[in-house]
Amino acid sequence: MYRFLLLVLTGLTGLPAFACDLHLEGRPPEVAGYVETAEACLRAPPEGFLFDAELEGGFLRLVNEERRAAGLAPVQMRPELRGAARFHSLDMAVNGFFGHNGPDGHDGVYRIAALDRTALVDFSAENVATVSKGSGRIDPDFALQRLHNNLMNSPGHRANILHPKATHVAFGVVRTRGGVWVTQLFLSLSGTLPEAAPLRLSATSRLRAPRGLDGWQFVRFDLVTEEGEAGPAVALPPRRGDARLAAYATQPGDDALSYYWIRFLGPAVTVTP
């Protein structure tokens, strides 16, 4: 039987006040620095770039209208996921690129793992879209409907909006005088951590058992590297680097001598000595 002490929130409290710096050169390579950079920009984006919560709510309404029309359950807005969506939209708007993979090499899976610090994820997907009026002022209502129609007319984006596994969603809308950028993140939430995962995980960090897991029996936390290597989080690897927390869980199999096991992937952490 496992005992879990209170989580040490290393790296989430007492942080210095970072200024927003969206230059790609010198962007921290480790996830802890990436999150600190993103959080500074989420608090105070550059002048002329605005997060638009009203348009984000409009996308939720339109997406759930489409899902109901298709006989699917509506998706729930997940506030903890919004930062990952907003940061990518802001990054695209400021740095002048468009796509799922940014010039820093990171994709939607990375951004979710970095910036949603409590989610245990079974499925995720990302939509991105943008519209501009050149030198003219863009109308928000026009942008909302135009972007939604464009996404629904794209087979891949439409499939994400109507994905049967999706349970939660977040939208990140960045607006300037002449343009709108939106990132839509969909996921299937398998469970949650009771507190935000530490940005920097060391041998002294302690984690409490996750909530949820829908019938699975939690056993322990593992660390999963980019190479797919996995091992118990209590036995931290000797080298520094990034890894993802994963909840290792089991349930009985079809007979008394068998069982099933699964790892629910969670937030990314920077492993320290």
Side-chain angles (χ1 to χ4, degrees):
M1 183 174 181
Y2 292 82
R3 299 175 63 190
F4 297 90
L5 303 179
L6 184 65
L7 176 64
V8 179
L9 297 179
T10 307
L12 290 183
T13 58
L15 290 176
F18 289 92
C20 178
D21 182 1
L22 282 163
H23 290 95
L24 295 170
E25 301 82 6
R27 187 170 289 185
E30 293 186 336
V31 71
Y34 178 90
V35 172
E36 289 163 350
T37 296
E39 287 180 341
C41 294
L42 293 170
R43 287 191 299 268
E47 185 176 356
F49 297 85
L50 303 173
F51 298 124
D52 195 319
E54 186 173 347
L55 283 182
E56 290 166 356
F59 278 110
L60 177 65
R61 173 178 56 80
L62 292 175
V63 163
N64 276 333
E65 285 176 1
E66 300 287 0
R67 291 180 65 87
R68 291 188 186 96
L72 297 168
V75 285
Q76 300 178 48
M77 182 75 86
R78 178 166 168 79
E80 298 88 344
L81 187 60
R82 186 174 62 182
R86 283 185 168 183
F87 184 65
H88 188 53
S89 292
L90 183 64
D91 209 8
M92 289 191 293
V94 172
N95 286 306
F97 71 91
F98 178 75
H100 298 287
N101 291 292
D104 60 10
H106 298 318
D107 60 10
V109 173
Y110 180 94
R111 290 185 288 272
I112 292 171
L115 293 167
D116 189 327
R117 304 301 302 168
T118 60
L120 297 172
V121 179
D122 180 48
F123 154 84
S124 66
E126 179 182 77
N127 288 344
V128 293
T130 184
V131 63
S132 68
K133 293 285 282 186
S135 60
R137 182 179 295 275
I138 195 164
D139 178 69
D141 292 333
F142 162 82
L144 174 65
Q145 197 61 57
R146 175 72 174 272
L147 290 169
H148 178 71
N149 290 344
N150 288 348
L151 290 168
M152 287 300 294
N153 288 332
S154 166
H157 295 102
R158 178 188 179 92
N160 290 338
I161 290 172
L162 300 179
H163 202 292
K165 290 190 71 173
T167 61
H168 291 75
V169 69
F171 304 94
V173 174
V174 169
R175 184 164 58 86
T176 64
R177 184 179 185 277
V180 174
W181 291 257
V182 61
T183 301
Q184 303 179 337
L185 292 175
F186 302 87
L187 57 78
S188 174
L189 194 65
S190 301
T192 58
L193 304 180
E195 297 95 2
L199 290 180
R200 296 173 176 87
L201 187 74
S202 71
T204 61
S205 300
R206 296 294 182 267
L207 304 169
R208 289 201 295 158
R211 298 166 177 161
L213 302 189
D214 192 22
W216 292 87
Q217 178 65 44
F218 175 71
V219 177
R220 65 171 187 262
F221 284 106
D222 284 351
L223 284 174
V224 181
T225 66
E226 287 187 2
E227 295 77 20
E229 300 171 355
V234 293
L236 293 171
R239 59 180 175 83
R240 293 174 57 94
D242 290 343
R244 287 188 71 173
L245 280 175
Y248 180 92
T250 65
Q251 63 178 216
D254 297 329
D255 57 67
L257 300 178
S258 67
Y259 64 93
Y260 302 108
W261 64 269
I262 193 171
R263 286 189 180 94
F264 296 104
L265 288 174
V269 296
T270 295
V271 179
T272 62

PDB file of all heavy atoms in Angstrom, residues 22-34:
ATOM      1  N   LEU A  22       8.818  36.840 -26.358  1.00  0.00           N
ATOM      2  CA  LEU A  22       8.418  35.830 -27.332  1.00  0.00           C
ATOM      3  C   LEU A  22       9.461  35.624 -28.428  1.00  0.00           C
ATOM      4  O   LEU A  22       9.178  34.962 -29.421  1.00  0.00           O
ATOM      5  CB  LEU A  22       7.068  36.210 -27.947  1.00  0.00           C
ATOM      6  CG  LEU A  22       5.871  35.899 -27.042  1.00  0.00           C
ATOM      7  CD1 LEU A  22       4.641  36.652 -27.502  1.00  0.00           C
ATOM      8  CD2 LEU A  22       5.599  34.409 -26.989  1.00  0.00           C
ATOM      9  N   HIS A  23      10.659  36.172 -28.244  1.00  0.00           N
ATOM     10  CA  HIS A  23      11.722  35.887 -29.201  1.00  0.00           C
ATOM     11  C   HIS A  23      12.016  34.396 -29.196  1.00  0.00           C
ATOM     12  O   HIS A  23      12.130  33.764 -28.140  1.00  0.00           O
ATOM     13  CB  HIS A  23      12.986  36.670 -28.851  1.00  0.00           C
ATOM     14  CG  HIS A  23      12.865  38.144 -29.092  1.00  0.00           C
ATOM     15  ND1 HIS A  23      12.513  39.033 -28.089  1.00  0.00           N
ATOM     16  CD2 HIS A  23      13.030  38.878 -30.227  1.00  0.00           C
ATOM     17  CE1 HIS A  23      12.478  40.256 -28.595  1.00  0.00           C
ATOM     18  NE2 HIS A  23      12.782  40.192 -29.881  1.00  0.00           N
ATOM     19  N   LEU A  24      12.166  33.825 -30.381  1.00  0.00           N
ATOM     20  CA  LEU A  24      12.443  32.395 -30.474  1.00  0.00           C
ATOM     21  C   LEU A  24      13.882  32.083 -30.079  1.00  0.00           C
ATOM     22  O   LEU A  24      14.166  31.015 -29.531  1.00  0.00           O
ATOM     23  CB  LEU A  24      12.162  31.907 -31.896  1.00  0.00           C
ATOM     24  CG  LEU A  24      10.690  32.007 -32.320  1.00  0.00           C
ATOM     25  CD1 LEU A  24      10.546  31.729 -33.806  1.00  0.00           C
ATOM     26  CD2 LEU A  24       9.828  31.049 -31.516  1.00  0.00           C
ATOM     27  N   GLU A  25      14.805  33.029 -30.355  1.00  0.00           N
ATOM     28  CA  GLU A  25      16.189  32.822 -29.972  1.00  0.00           C
ATOM     29  C   GLU A  25      16.306  32.884 -28.445  1.00  0.00           C
ATOM     30  O   GLU A  25      15.815  33.805 -27.800  1.00  0.00           O
ATOM     31  CB  GLU A  25      17.089  33.888 -30.587  1.00  0.00           C
ATOM     32  CG  GLU A  25      17.059  33.942 -32.101  1.00  0.00           C
ATOM     33  CD  GLU A  25      15.879  34.720 -32.650  1.00  0.00           C
ATOM     34  OE1 GLU A  25      15.124  35.323 -31.844  1.00  0.00           O
ATOM     35  OE2 GLU A  25      15.694  34.720 -33.880  1.00  0.00           O
ATOM     36  N   GLY A  26      16.940  31.886 -27.896  1.00  0.00           N
ATOM     37  CA  GLY A  26      17.129  31.872 -26.459  1.00  0.00           C
ATOM     38  C   GLY A  26      15.946  31.379 -25.657  1.00  0.00           C
ATOM     39  O   GLY A  26      15.964  31.458 -24.427  1.00  0.00           O
ATOM     40  N   ARG A  27      14.910  30.878 -26.328  1.00  0.00           N
ATOM     41  CA  ARG A  27      13.763  30.335 -25.584  1.00  0.00           C
ATOM     42  C   ARG A  27      14.239  29.113 -24.798  1.00  0.00           C
ATOM     43  O   ARG A  27      14.902  28.240 -25.356  1.00  0.00           O
ATOM     44  CB  ARG A  27      12.632  29.969 -26.532  1.00  0.00           C
ATOM     45  CG  ARG A  27      11.356  29.555 -25.821  1.00  0.00           C
ATOM     46  CD  ARG A  27      10.179  29.423 -26.792  1.00  0.00           C
ATOM     47  NE  ARG A  27       9.718  30.712 -27.292  1.00  0.00           N
ATOM     48  CZ  ARG A  27       8.650  30.864 -28.078  1.00  0.00           C
ATOM     49  NH1 ARG A  27       7.938  29.806 -28.441  1.00  0.00           N
ATOM     50  NH2 ARG A  27       8.285  32.063 -28.487  1.00  0.00           N
ATOM     51  N   PRO A  28      13.911  29.033 -23.512  1.00  0.00           N
ATOM     52  CA  PRO A  28      14.456  27.943 -22.693  1.00  0.00           C
ATOM     53  C   PRO A  28      14.134  26.567 -23.272  1.00  0.00           C
ATOM     54  O   PRO A  28      12.995  26.299 -23.661  1.00  0.00           O
ATOM     55  CB  PRO A  28      13.764  28.138 -21.336  1.00  0.00           C
ATOM     56  CG  PRO A  28      13.412  29.593 -21.306  1.00  0.00           C
ATOM     57  CD  PRO A  28      13.076  29.952 -22.717  1.00  0.00           C
ATOM     58  N   PRO A  29      15.145  25.679 -23.348  1.00  0.00           N
ATOM     59  CA  PRO A  29      14.902  24.352 -23.912  1.00  0.00           C
ATOM     60  C   PRO A  29      14.166  23.411 -22.969  1.00  0.00           C
ATOM     61  O   PRO A  29      13.519  22.468 -23.420  1.00  0.00           O
ATOM     62  CB  PRO A  29      16.318  23.839 -24.201  1.00  0.00           C
ATOM     63  CG  PRO A  29      17.181  24.544 -23.203  1.00  0.00           C
ATOM     64  CD  PRO A  29      16.567  25.892 -23.008  1.00  0.00           C
ATOM     65  N   GLU A  30      14.278  23.625 -21.661  1.00  0.00           N
ATOM     66  CA  GLU A  30      13.628  22.733 -20.706  1.00  0.00           C
ATOM     67  C   GLU A  30      12.220  23.223 -20.410  1.00  0.00           C
ATOM     68  O   GLU A  30      11.916  24.412 -20.474  1.00  0.00           O
ATOM     69  CB  GLU A  30      14.442  22.652 -19.415  1.00  0.00           C
ATOM     70  CG  GLU A  30      15.787  21.974 -19.603  1.00  0.00           C
ATOM     71  CD  GLU A  30      16.513  21.776 -18.292  1.00  0.00           C
ATOM     72  OE1 GLU A  30      16.236  22.532 -17.332  1.00  0.00           O
ATOM     73  OE2 GLU A  30      17.364  20.874 -18.211  1.00  0.00           O
ATOM     74  N   VAL A  31      11.341  22.279 -20.084  1.00  0.00           N
ATOM     75  CA  VAL A  31       9.923  22.600 -19.933  1.00  0.00           C
ATOM     76  C   VAL A  31       9.686  23.596 -18.806  1.00  0.00           C
ATOM     77  O   VAL A  31       8.791  24.444 -18.904  1.00  0.00           O
ATOM     78  CB  VAL A  31       9.098  21.311 -19.730  1.00  0.00           C
ATOM     79  CG1 VAL A  31       9.346  20.695 -18.369  1.00  0.00           C
ATOM     80  CG2 VAL A  31       7.617  21.602 -19.923  1.00  0.00           C
ATOM     81  N   ALA A  32      10.475  23.546 -17.734  1.00  0.00           N
ATOM     82  CA  ALA A  32      10.265  24.486 -16.631  1.00  0.00           C
ATOM     83  C   ALA A  32      10.447  25.919 -17.104  1.00  0.00           C
ATOM     84  O   ALA A  32       9.633  26.808 -16.801  1.00  0.00           O
ATOM     85  CB  ALA A  32      11.228  24.177 -15.486  1.00  0.00           C
ATOM     86  N   GLY A  33      11.504  26.189 -17.867  1.00  0.00           N
ATOM     87  CA  GLY A  33      11.729  27.522 -18.397  1.00  0.00           C
ATOM     88  C   GLY A  33      10.695  27.913 -19.437  1.00  0.00           C
ATOM     89  O   GLY A  33      10.289  29.074 -19.520  1.00  0.00           O
ATOM     90  N   TYR A  34      10.264  26.948 -20.241  1.00  0.00           N
ATOM     91  CA  TYR A  34       9.221  27.198 -21.239  1.00  0.00           C
ATOM     92  C   TYR A  34       7.933  27.663 -20.556  1.00  0.00           C
ATOM     93  O   TYR A  34       7.283  28.622 -21.000  1.00  0.00           O
ATOM     94  CB  TYR A  34       8.978  25.927 -22.041  1.00  0.00           C
ATOM     95  CG  TYR A  34       7.890  26.022 -23.082  1.00  0.00           C
ATOM     96  CD1 TYR A  34       8.176  26.425 -24.376  1.00  0.00           C
ATOM     97  CD2 TYR A  34       6.573  25.674 -22.781  1.00  0.00           C
ATOM     98  CE1 TYR A  34       7.176  26.503 -25.346  1.00  0.00           C
ATOM     99  CE2 TYR A  34       5.577  25.751 -23.735  1.00  0.00           C
ATOM    100  CZ  TYR A  34       5.879  26.159 -25.014  1.00  0.00           C
ATOM    101  OH  TYR A  34       4.887  26.234 -25.965  1.00  0.00           O
TER     102      TYR A  34
END
